[in-house]
């Protein structure tokens, strides 16, 4: 029927009318409508239309699982060591003291000349200075400018003078900002507007009080440490910590807790490293304290334990244990010597043919010699 109707239409002389069909679309549960002709286009010169990054759902009747777009892995910013905000030491602004004193003297001279010009200097002072008496024209604007300017220069010049000493340094700051350090000696001029803080940079030693600690076995100890140190960076010593000497004491206490807890105080049974090896313990303490105190501008040369003792509450018990260990060690060494002496004596007697002994006689001889030698060593 459809073919006959189509031919009949053509026979009537008119062009066949093609019905207008809507474009086929692919549509599912979670995506937008996509025209079919866009999926099969092969136009390389045109840019494809961007699609929304939505979840592609499962199409009905196909058994396909829903797919989600891959998200890029979050980038983690590299983390480094904490930035030290404390300033490092640098040279501060300072000038020659004698030159500043000379400038101040010249300014005072100019101030006196301005007063003489104004005629306000007493005649008696002029006579003593052997200067001509000048009546002047009182203090006018010009005279005031000369006197005020010269006085300000003199005050600024003499106010900044200071005496630099060997082993001392000034840390300069202006409104809380570090401006430099001055290690010069002798007469020095420093801007009087800067705040000065004197710090000792000489080599010093610090002997601690008995500090508590524990060894590897958890036994309480009391340790006295001698630390040789000095301030290397004055800026860090002033601005990085509140009190650099107190900071050093805390570093020593922390280093004692770390180093001494790795070894026993005494090895009662057998050998092995102990805290009695003062040189090794001192080297470990020095490395640890030097590393901890470096951010505060402190240079540590050596840290040696001068005394390592047991705490009073365990001293008596540990002393008895030490004496027992020494006595046992002495007995072992004495018994070894006696056995060696008996063996050597019996061997010589039998080797040279002085005696002929059977097993019973040999055992009896060994017993008698052992008692004799042990008694002889015990009487000494």
């Amino acid at each position: 029927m459809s073919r006959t109707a189509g031919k009949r239409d053509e026979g009537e002389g008119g062009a066949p009318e093609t019905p207008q069909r809507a474009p086929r679309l692919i549509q599912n549960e979670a995506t937008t409508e996509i025209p079919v002709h866009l999926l099969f286009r092969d136009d390389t010169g045109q840019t494809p239309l961007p699609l929304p990054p939505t979840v592609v759902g499962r199409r009905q009747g196909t058994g396909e699982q829903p797919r989600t777009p891959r998200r890029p892995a979050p980038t983690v910013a590299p983390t480094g060591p904490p930035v030290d905000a404390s300033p490092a030491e640098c040279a501060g602004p300072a000038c020659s003291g004698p030159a500043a004193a000379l400038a101040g003297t010249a300014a005072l001279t100019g101030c006196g000349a301005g007063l003489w010009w104004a005629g306000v200097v007493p005649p008696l002072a002029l006579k003593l200075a052997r200067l001509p008496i000048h009546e002047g024209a009182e203090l006018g604007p010009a005279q005031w400018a000369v006197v005020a300017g010269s006085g300000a220069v003199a005050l600024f010049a003499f106010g900044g003078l200071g005496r630099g000493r060997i082993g001392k340094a000034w840390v300069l700051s202006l409104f809380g900002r570090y401006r430099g350090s001055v290690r010069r000696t002798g007469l020095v001029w420093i801007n009087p507007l800067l705040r000065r803080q004197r710090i000792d940079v000489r080599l010093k030693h610090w002997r601690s009080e008995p500090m508590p600690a524990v060894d590897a076995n958890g036994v309480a100890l009391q340790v006295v440490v001698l630390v040789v140190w000095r301030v290397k960076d004055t800026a860090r010593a002033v601005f990085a910590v509140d009190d650099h000497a107190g900071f050093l004491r805390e570093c020593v206490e922390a280093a004692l807790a770390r180093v001494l807890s790795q070894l026993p105080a005494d090895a009662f049974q057998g050998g092995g490293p102990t805290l009695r090896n003062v040189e090794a313990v001192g080297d470990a303490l020095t490395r640890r304290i030097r590393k901890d105190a470096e951010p505060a501008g402190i240079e540590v040369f050596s840290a040696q334990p001068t005394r390592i003792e047991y705490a009073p509450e365990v001293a008596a018990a540990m002393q008895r244990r030490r004496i027992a260990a020494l006595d046992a060690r002495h007995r072992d060494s004495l018994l070894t010597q006696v056995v060696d002496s008996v063996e050597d004596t019996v061997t010589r007697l039998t080797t040279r043919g002085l005696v002929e002994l059977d097993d019973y006689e040999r055992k009896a001889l060994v017993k008698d010699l052992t008692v004799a030698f042990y008694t002889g060593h015990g009487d000494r």
Side-chain angles (χ1 to χ4, degrees), residues 6 24 45 110 120 132 146 153 166 179 188 195 240 246 256 262 284-285 297:
R24 296 181 181 180
V120 296
V146 173
V153 172
I166 298 176
R179 303 300 298 173
V188 183
R195 180 176 179 269
L256 282 177
Q262 298 178 2
L285 278 176

Side-chain angles (χ1 to χ4, degrees), residues 44-335:
T44 58
Q46 297 182 1
T47 304
L49 297 176
L51 299 178
T54 57
V55 178
V56 179
R58 178 177 61 85
R59 288 182 290 181
Q60 295 180 356
T62 60
E64 184 180 353
Q65 298 297 327
R67 301 186 301 271
T68 57
R70 295 182 179 179
R71 297 181 179 179
T75 57
V76 180
T79 58
V83 180
D84 190 2
S86 57
E89 180 180 343
C90 62
C95 300
S96 174
L102 183 61
T105 304
L108 285 179
T109 303
C111 184
L115 294 176
W116 176 79
W117 181 20
V120 296
V121 180
L124 181 60
L126 294 177
K127 290 181 179 180
L128 294 177
R130 297 180 181 181
L131 294 176
I133 299 176
H134 180 67
E135 296 182 358
E138 298 184 354
L139 288 174
Q143 290 81 1
W144 271 114
V146 173
V147 172
S150 301
V153 172
L155 183 63
F156 200 74
F158 288 111
L161 291 178
R163 185 179 63 175
R165 300 179 181 180
I166 298 176
K168 302 286 185 178
W170 280 304
V171 178
L172 309 179
S173 61
L174 180 62
F175 301 114
R177 184 180 178 183
Y178 175 64
R179 303 300 298 173
S181 300
V182 178
R183 292 176 177 258
R184 299 176 61 173
T185 59
L187 190 60
V188 183
W189 183 85
I190 301 174
N191 189 346
L193 299 179
L194 297 177
R195 180 176 179 269
R196 309 178 191 181
Q197 187 171 355
R198 190 181 288 274
I199 187 171
D200 193 348
V201 295
R202 292 175 295 182
L203 189 66
K204 292 176 285 186
H205 72 275
W206 172 69
R207 183 184 298 272
S208 69
E209 298 294 331
M211 306 179 69
V214 294
D215 64 353
N217 297 325
V219 181
L221 304 174
Q222 285 188 346
V223 186
V224 178
V225 184
L226 179 65
V227 183
V228 180
W229 64 284
R230 71 172 181 179
V231 174
K232 182 179 181 181
D233 193 315
T234 57
R236 293 181 184 272
V238 172
F239 297 104
V241 292
D242 187 20
D243 181 14
H244 61 275
F247 182 78
L248 178 62
R249 288 193 293 269
E250 298 296 335
C251 291
V252 172
E253 187 174 356
L256 282 177
R258 293 180 182 180
V259 174
L260 270 66
S261 61
Q262 298 178 2
L263 296 174
D266 292 293
F268 298 106
Q269 297 179 356
T274 63
L275 296 179
R276 303 304 173 183
N277 189 354
V278 180
E279 184 176 358
V281 175
D283 293 342
L285 278 176
T286 302
R287 289 192 301 268
R288 175 64 63 178
I289 298 174
R290 180 181 297 150
K291 182 179 178 181
D292 293 343
E294 184 178 1
I298 298 175
E299 183 179 8
V300 178
F301 293 94
S302 67
Q304 298 294 331
T306 58
R307 189 175 63 188
I308 300 178
E309 297 179 349
Y310 290 104
E313 58 270 17
V314 298
M318 300 307 296
Q319 186 68 18
R320 289 194 299 267
R321 185 178 178 183
R322 181 187 298 177
I323 293 174
L326 292 176
D327 186 51
R329 194 177 304 170
H330 175 69
R331 289 177 181 274
D332 291 341
S333 63
L334 181 60
L335 183 58

Side-chain angles (χ1 to χ4, degrees), residues 19-59:
Q20 297 294 330
R21 297 181 180 180
R24 296 181 181 180
L25 302 175
I26 295 178
Q27 184 176 5
N28 54 28
E29 300 172 354
T31 61
T32 57
E33 296 181 355
I34 305 174
V36 178
H37 67 280
L38 293 179
L39 298 177
F40 301 97
R41 294 186 62 178
D42 196 15
D43 298 335
T44 58
Q46 297 182 1
T47 304
L49 297 176
L51 299 178
T54 57
V55 178
V56 179
R58 178 177 61 85
R59 288 182 290 181

